[in-house]
Amino acid sequence: MLVLDNLTKSYGGRTVLSELSHSFRAGEFVAIMGESGVGKSTLLNIIAGLDAPDAGQVLVDGTPMSALDDAAATRLRRTRMGFIFQAFHVLPHLTLRQNVALPLLLNKESADRVAHRVADRVDSMLEAVGLGGRGDDFPRQLSGGELQRVAIARALVHRPALLLADEPTGNLDPETADVILQLLRHETRASGAGAIMVTHSHAAAAMADKVLLLTHSGLKLT
């Protein structure tokens, strides 16, 4: 499903990733751990095509991301990927329901189908992250942990083939974090999706099928 082929990335003369290679299988939930500054978030951004490597390539289902123009890369992200950002990126002028529905709208679902999905899928995702009944609320009414849950619901709503999660439980209390991790496992397994989660939490990593340690020497199985 996903192949990293000799990725190298530097910032300001400092090498963050050096000739990194690894393959990820569909249906596999992988946690990536490592010290701060080692390049975990950078790696996720490169996989998603939000950043470009200095050398090497990312292949999604055999297609190099570098071979796609901007429009094709955007379509791939919208249809095949879900991304949970540390900064949430929840849109303040939209309700929670509208925020979660964005991937469906951007994938150009028909108006009738979107209405149906909002009633069934979007609301069920809000319920699953503990925000049932709050679809008409706005982000300004939420805490940081609640905003993170909205971002998680949005990343899962369109059943992506690949979920990329950057510290998805970083703003959550342990009980809520456990619920969210169970949800991530359930959703990805139900759709046969792959998931790559960057985390500092050993408790979160314990939920994964495989834990990899990112160092300046590459990715190693722990």
Side-chain angles (χ1 to χ4, degrees), residues 4-12 14 16-18 39 41-58 64-70 73 77 83:
L4 313 180
D5 182 20
N6 287 310
L7 295 182
T8 295
K9 182 68 176 180
S10 298
Y11 291 107
R14 183 175 71 89
V16 180
L17 304 174
S18 178
S41 295
T42 296
L43 177 58
L44 285 190
N45 286 332
I46 289 175
I47 291 172
L50 300 173
D51 199 356
D54 298 329
Q57 61 182 347
V58 174
M65 291 288 287
S66 59
L68 304 177
D69 60 22
D70 289 344
R77 280 193 295 272
F83 205 127

Side-chain angles (χ1 to χ4, degrees), residues 127-211:
E127 183 73 32
V129 298
L131 294 170
R134 299 192 63 183
D136 293 328
D137 287 355
F138 284 87
R140 64 178 177 273
Q141 299 170 261
L142 274 60
S143 67
E146 289 170 333
L147 288 171
Q148 189 158 30
R149 285 186 268 159
V150 174
I152 290 166
R154 182 183 58 195
L156 292 171
V157 71
H158 60 302
R159 296 183 175 91
L162 176 62
L163 176 69
L164 303 172
D166 196 353
E167 299 286 358
T169 62
N171 288 279
L172 305 179
D173 61 83
E175 183 177 350
T176 303
D178 185 65
V179 170
I180 292 301
L181 290 166
Q182 294 285 358
L183 174 65
L184 296 182
R185 283 187 65 88
H186 171 77
E187 288 290 325
T188 52
R189 284 184 171 178
S191 59
I196 302 174
M197 173 179 66
V198 161
T199 182
H200 283 99
S201 168
H202 289 278
M207 297 289 290
D209 301 316
K210 180 190 295 183
V211 180

Side-chain angles (χ1 to χ4, degrees), residues 33-171:
M33 304 189 76
E35 296 179 358
S36 296
V38 78
K40 301 185 297 299
S41 295
T42 296
L43 177 58
L44 285 190
N45 286 332
I46 289 175
I47 291 172
L50 300 173
D51 199 356
D54 298 329
Q57 61 182 347
V58 174
L59 296 95
V60 178
D61 294 332
T63 299
M65 291 288 287
S66 59
L68 304 177
D69 60 22
D70 289 344
T74 298
R75 283 195 300 273
L76 177 65
R77 280 193 295 272
R78 287 177 177 174
T79 58
R80 301 280 291 163
M81 296 182 183
F83 205 127
I84 302 170
F85 297 92
Q86 285 193 61
F88 316 139
H89 296 304
V90 174
L91 299 181
H93 59 286
L94 299 182
T95 66
L96 306 192
R97 183 179 289 109
Q98 290 168 334
N99 266 284
V100 174
L102 270 176
L104 305 179
L105 296 168
L106 292 173
N107 288 335
K108 301 188 188 305
E109 299 269 1
S110 72
D112 288 343
R113 186 166 173 78
V114 167
H116 176 73
R117 293 284 287 274
V118 165
D120 292 341
R121 178 65 176 170
V122 175
D123 286 348
S124 71
M125 288 307 306
L126 284 169
E127 183 73 32
V129 298
L131 294 170
R134 299 192 63 183
D136 293 328
D137 287 355
F138 284 87
R140 64 178 177 273
Q141 299 170 261
L142 274 60
S143 67
E146 289 170 333
L147 288 171
Q148 189 158 30
R149 285 186 268 159
V150 174
I152 290 166
R154 182 183 58 195
L156 292 171
V157 71
H158 60 302
R159 296 183 175 91
L162 176 62
L163 176 69
L164 303 172
D166 196 353
E167 299 286 358
T169 62
N171 288 279

